[in-house]
Every structure is written in C-alpha cells, then in structure tokens.
Amino acid sequence: MRSNAIELRGVSRTFGSGDGQVTALDDVSLAFEQGTFTAVMGPSGSGKSTLLQCAAGLDRPASGSVRIGGTELTTLTERRLTLLRRARVGFVFQAFNLLPSLTAEQNVALPLRLAGRRVPKSEVRAALARVGLTARARHRPGELSGGQQQRVALARALVTRPEVLFADEPTGALDSRTGRDVLALLRAMVDTEGRTIAMVTHDPVAASCADRVVFLVDGRVHGELTGAPAAGIAARMTTLKAVPC
C-alpha cells in the first residue's frame, strides 16, 4: 500500500477581513499518494492555486494540517520551511521564472547554489539532457522558445531530485505540441522515477495525463475522476461551471 506524499486535513485559507473577506479554501482534506500524478481543476476562483501553495508550504493556511512525507509544515519556522522546500520539493510555473541574465545551465544550478551545495556540472548537464536541451546549455532565456524555457524550468526542478513536484499551469503558455512534450516528461517522472506530482490546470487534455483529477468549487473538494479521458473531464467541468439563470 502506498504512503501519502502530501496530506491536507481540514485546511482553510481566507484573504481579507470583514465584509471583504474571501474564503479560498474551506475545510479541505485531501491526500496525494506517493508515486502518483494528480491534476487539480475547477472554475476560476475555486481555490486551485491556493491549494497548491498551501500544500507546497508557500502559503500558510488559517487552520488545518499540511504534511509532506510525514513532516508537518504548519509548525515549522520560515527558515526550516525554506530548507524543506529546497531539499524535498520542486516547482514548475506557467511563467517559467527564469533569470534572464543567466544561461540555461546557470538557471538549473541555481537551487543547488541557494542551498549551499556544490554544483557538479555533470548533474546540471544531466538534468538538461533529460529534457532534451543539452545543446542549449549556454543559451539565455531570451534565446530560447517558450517550450525550451519551460523545459529549463523542469530541469531546474529536477536537479534537486525532489520527492514532490508542484506544477501550476505548466502548459498554459505553450502551444499544443510543446505542451504534450512537457506533459510526457511529467508523466515519465511518475512512471519511471516514482515522483509525486500535483498539477493545477484548466486544460482537460493536460488533466487526462494524470492518474486522477480532483475538482474544486468555492474552495471545497467537489469529487474526483480516476483514469478519465479528456472528454469525460471536460464534461465534468461543464457541470461545475453551470450556473442557474
């Protein structure tokens, strides 16, 4: 039986106060088994990105418990939380977040440097090779296509060998062919290396690459699908977005 790589229990998160208070997450309990790929979907404003940020330790919930590999995040100091993220968590975002003045290999090496670790060039080159960018190691982001930049971001996430990878709309800024390539890389990380991936997406095709799809509505879990095709996921999304006239 697989253990849980990520576990949220009774997690709530609000923003603002008084009449302007908004509930982004409302008593969410959710587990992500080790070595699985989960997509999180829902209408705009449903709390998807907030869920990812709380699960990754980038944001603190107002209440509830968040665990990564059995470690409780909500009681950690900011310093210990930062160290845990550097050692055990990888991130890939739609915006790539590459430093424009650094080459691809320098961007990939950055998490290791920030962690105070020695940066063997062989490890950096191996990470770039995994995403098919060996020949682009010395190119800066401005010299790379959007798909290539996203693959550099993936290599940067992989170089620390994280237990868990969080991806927020990783294909949102890519064309369909490049998006498929990135999704194939994510799928391979789960199937061949046993990584755990939690991905927020609005795209049913992207979500169909996951083992399961969890749906959020108004900050609450609203069911899930396992092994569903893109058409089935799209149909479920349509019911979630339906608003009575």
Side-chain angles (χ1 to χ4, degrees), residues 63-143:
S63 61
S65 168
V66 181
R67 291 176 176 267
I68 290 182
T71 299
E72 177 62 50
L73 304 191
T74 59
T75 58
L76 296 180
T77 64
E78 287 300 327
R79 180 177 179 277
R80 290 180 64 84
L81 197 54
T82 297
L83 293 175
L84 179 141
R85 288 195 302 261
R86 286 178 181 172
R88 300 168 64 181
V89 177
F91 303 95
V92 180
F93 300 101
Q94 179 177 344
F96 314 142
N97 293 338
L98 303 178
L99 294 183
S101 61
L102 301 184
T103 64
E105 62 183 0
Q106 289 170 336
N107 268 288
V108 171
L110 194 58
L112 297 175
R113 292 189 182 281
L114 290 174
R117 292 167 55 184
R118 189 174 67 86
V119 186
K121 187 166 286 188
S122 59
E123 288 188 22
V124 174
R125 290 296 178 96
L128 284 168
R130 288 187 57 198
V131 298
L133 288 179
T134 301
R136 299 284 184 170
R138 297 186 181 278
H139 288 67
R140 289 181 171 80
E143 301 170 309

Side-chain angles (χ1 to χ4, degrees), residues 189-240:
M189 288 173 60
V190 175
D191 294 339
T192 64
E193 300 175 22
R195 306 288 182 199
T196 304
I197 296 179
M199 175 182 71
V200 163
T201 183
H202 68 282
D203 182 4
V205 174
S208 69
C209 294
D211 299 306
R212 67 167 179 161
V213 184
V214 174
F215 298 94
L216 289 186
V217 177
D218 296 331
R220 294 183 176 183
V221 176
H222 205 273
E224 63 179 67
L225 293 175
T226 302
I233 296 168
R236 174 65 71 87
M237 280 295 294
T238 299
T239 66
L240 297 181

Side-chain angles (χ1 to χ4, degrees), residues 162-186:
E163 298 172 25
V164 179
L165 179 69
F166 293 95
D168 195 351
E169 298 283 6
T171 62
L174 306 178
D175 62 77
S176 58
R177 180 176 179 178
T178 306
R180 286 195 300 271
D181 291 341
V182 169
L183 289 166
L185 285 167
L186 294 175

Side-chain angles (χ1 to χ4, degrees), residues 6 21 35 49-50 60-61 65 132 152 165 193 215-217 228 245:
I6 314 162
Q21 181 170 291
S49 291
T50 302
R60 290 187 184 270
S65 168
V152 172
L165 179 69
E193 300 175 22
F215 298 94
L216 289 186
V217 177
C245 297

